[in-house]
Amino acid sequence: MAVEDTQPLISHLIELRKRLLNSIICVIVVFLALVYFANDIYYLVSAPLIKVMPLGASMIATDVASPFFTPIKLTMIVSVFVSAPFILYQVWGFVAPALYKHERRLMMPLLFSSSALFYLGMAFAYFLVFPLAFAFFAKTAPAGVEIATDINKYLDFVMTIFMAFGVSFEVPIAIILLCWTGVTTPEDLRKKRPYVLVGAFVVAMLLTPPDVFSQTLLAIPMYILFEIGVFCARYYVGKRRRGDEDDDADSESDAS
């Protein structure tokens, strides 16, 4: 009996190892394809700051190896972001066999939407938040202070903002999952709208630079995405209930 009990666990571990290796290989392949363009990728990411820097100002590298390693570091991070859909597909391939048929139909759109929303949050930060925030910082620099941002610290800053906006744009997915699992309901969330609005600004204050532009630009989309999540959650909750009823009916028919 002990041997038979361990067989499913071993098979699951083998499958998990396979999925992890596939994901790592995908990241490495993407990295090797992009590493030649590492400096171009860094220039693209730093363009929003360079455009608003005073005439004659430039970014600097305070460490000897930073001009080489910082673009490489960014390329590795970009490789993970680019590989995200494939990694999510591997996660899906691992968990899908444990789901009911109607659950698989509901989860597929969530996986696709989670990737799309994450990329949308990063694009929102790059094209809207960065130009406004960097222009604000450049204009508010004290007299006599020369703007010369270190390339490594700039990368850490923008990656933090990218992650903050990417994760924050996952709000609809989080709400749908909470309602789907029964932790809360769309009706309860609608009653808490004032608290959610205040919470969105508090989260934006913690995740973004200390300026009102970027905080507002994160808080407002988060609240809009909250409303979208509540609206979509009604559909998923209804689908789940109908799917559970169908599964119960199938079980009863099989038993009879």
Side-chain angles (χ1 to χ4, degrees):
M1 292 294 296
V3 175
E4 294 178 356
D5 292 339
T6 58
Q7 286 299 322
L9 177 61
I10 294 175
S11 63
H12 287 318
L13 291 176
I14 293 174
E15 179 68 14
L16 178 61
R17 183 184 66 178
K18 173 186 173 183
R19 300 292 179 179
L20 289 174
L21 286 176
N22 289 342
S23 301
I24 294 172
I25 291 172
C26 178
V27 173
I28 293 175
V29 170
V30 174
F31 173 77
L32 293 176
L34 295 178
V35 68
Y36 178 79
F37 308 98
N39 289 337
D40 296 326
I41 294 172
Y42 190 90
Y43 177 79
L44 182 65
V45 172
S46 61
L49 176 62
I50 293 175
K51 290 179 180 178
V52 300
M53 293 180 73
L55 185 64
S58 64
M59 302 182 71
I60 61 173
T62 56
D63 293 333
V64 175
S66 289
F68 174 77
F69 284 112
T70 302
I72 297 296
K73 176 182 175 182
L74 173 60
T75 304
M76 178 57 73
I77 297 172
V78 171
S79 301
V80 175
F81 287 162
V82 172
S83 304
F86 181 81
I87 295 173
L88 287 175
Y89 175 77
Q90 295 301 311
V91 174
W92 168 252
F94 181 73
V95 302
L99 301 176
Y100 289 110
K101 185 177 180 180
H102 76 278
E103 291 176 333
R104 290 196 292 267
R105 290 198 301 266
L106 293 174
M107 284 297 294
M108 277 299 291
L110 288 182
L111 286 174
F112 173 79
S113 300
S114 63
S115 298
L117 286 170
F118 189 84
Y119 291 143
L120 180 62
M122 294 180 62
F124 186 86
Y126 181 84
F127 290 106
L128 188 59
V129 177
F130 285 174
L132 292 176
F134 293 152
F136 173 80
F137 293 152
K139 292 178 181 178
T140 56
V145 174
E146 181 179 355
I147 300 178
T149 303
D150 178 69
I151 59 173
N152 196 38
K153 292 183 178 180
Y154 175 80
L155 176 60
D156 294 340
F157 176 84
V158 297
M159 285 299 108
T160 300
I161 300 300
F162 276 143
M163 289 300 299
F165 276 81
V167 172
S168 297
F169 271 58
E170 300 289 340
V171 167
I173 307 299
I175 290 175
I176 290 172
L177 291 176
L178 288 174
C179 294
W180 191 17
T181 55
V183 176
T184 185
T185 63
E187 292 74 17
D188 290 338
L189 290 175
R190 280 195 288 269
K191 295 177 182 177
K192 299 176 181 177
R193 278 171 173 155
Y195 304 102
V196 172
L197 181 59
V198 174
F201 277 92
V202 172
V203 171
M205 178 183 65
L206 297 175
L207 295 180
T208 59
D211 66 277
V212 68
F213 298 108
S214 55
Q215 292 173 7
T216 304
L217 288 173
L218 178 57
I220 292 178
M222 283 181 62
Y223 182 77
I224 294 174
L225 291 168
F226 163 79
E227 294 289 350
I228 295 174
V230 172
F231 177 80
C232 295
R234 295 185 303 172
Y235 167 80
Y236 268 81
V237 170
K239 282 284 188 178
R240 186 202 65 185
R241 290 171 180 170
R242 288 192 293 270
D244 291 342
E245 292 173 358
D246 293 339
D247 291 334
D248 293 338
D250 293 339
S251 299
E252 292 177 358
S253 62
D254 292 339
S256 62

